[in-house]
Amino acid sequence: MWRNMTRAPALALLGSLLAAAATASSSGSQILPVVEAAAEKRRKGILAGTWVNELGSKMVLNPPNEAGQFSGSYLTAVSAAEKRIQASPLFGVQHDPKEQEQPTFGFAVKWTFSDSTAAFVGQRFVDASGKESLETMWLLREEAKSPEDDWKATRIGRNVFTRVK
Ligand code: BTN
């Protein structure tokens, strides 16, 4: 049923369900605020939270400031460097979640355990069932020993993140 609905009726139905749940919840249940907060997050295109990609890498994005700048941390599950992996800081920008339900964003990761830097760009999507994903592409630059090695110093790829928190 959800799959065939346009967004407005789906949101209206969600609102009705929440209102009905509010009426039914005379016992002071803690479930409703959690459900409402999750629905609000989905509506507003908020990126802040904990995300995991198909490699098993995990990142935490902090809420953005007024200018859309945010920080976070990235724990990669894989590495091209033969070093012990450590969580690394990230810094990014995003479009206003109050205006864009599916905002584009970008962030850079300075790997603390290797000489490389990664840049991700992407967009947040939410499907008809409310499942959020971050569709991203990345460039990973390692330190070339000389300009002659420049041609092999940048990798490119794609990651899809889903929300875990
Ligand atoms: C390095 O190898 O020097 C640092 C780690 C790089 C991890 C890359 S970034 C793109 C891809 N997506 C991930 O989650 N991990 C790899």
Side-chain angles (χ1 to χ4, degrees):
M1 176 179 72
W2 287 91
R3 193 180 303 265
N4 296 325
M5 287 182 118
T6 58
R7 185 170 298 134
L11 288 176
L13 177 58
L14 178 62
S16 308
L17 289 172
L18 289 173
T23 309
S25 166
S26 53
S27 61
S29 158
Q30 295 302 302
I31 293 171
L32 191 56
V34 175
V35 172
E36 279 174 331
E40 186 70 2
K41 220 180 240 181
R42 282 198 292 274
R43 263 200 303 277
K44 282 197 169 162
I46 288 169
L47 303 182
T50 304
W51 301 84
V52 66
N53 70 18
E54 72 279 15
L55 298 169
S57 300
K58 190 171 155 187
M59 66 176 181
V60 177
L61 303 183
N62 298 321
N65 66 16
E66 283 295 304
Q69 300 161 341
F70 62 87
S71 63
S73 73
Y74 200 112
L75 182 59
T76 181
V78 297
S79 173
E82 285 168 15
K83 303 270 174 61
R84 197 168 64 84
I85 291 173
Q86 291 170 6
S88 300
L90 68 83
F91 299 94
V93 287
Q94 68 162 97
H95 279 276
D96 189 347
K98 291 197 280 298
E99 287 171 17
Q100 315 293 141
E101 190 176 323
Q102 306 200 127
T104 62
F105 60 88
F107 61 83
V109 188
K110 175 185 178 278
W111 303 106
T112 52
F113 59 92
S114 82
D115 55 21
S116 301
T117 303
F120 286 75
V121 288
Q123 184 173 350
R124 180 252 197 195
F125 289 99
V126 55
D127 71 13
S129 70
K131 186 174 177 222
E132 297 169 274
S133 63
L134 304 179
E135 309 276 340
T136 70
M137 288 202 69
W138 52 261
L139 292 173
L140 175 64
R141 175 70 189 206
E142 67 181 40
E143 190 182 319
K145 296 295 167 245
S146 69
E148 287 70 43
D149 288 340
D150 182 67
W151 65 272
K152 61 177 180 181
T154 305
R155 291 177 170 84
I156 186 169
R158 179 171 182 270
N159 283 146
V160 180
F161 294 83
T162 51
R163 188 188 283 282
V164 291
K165 207 163 132 205

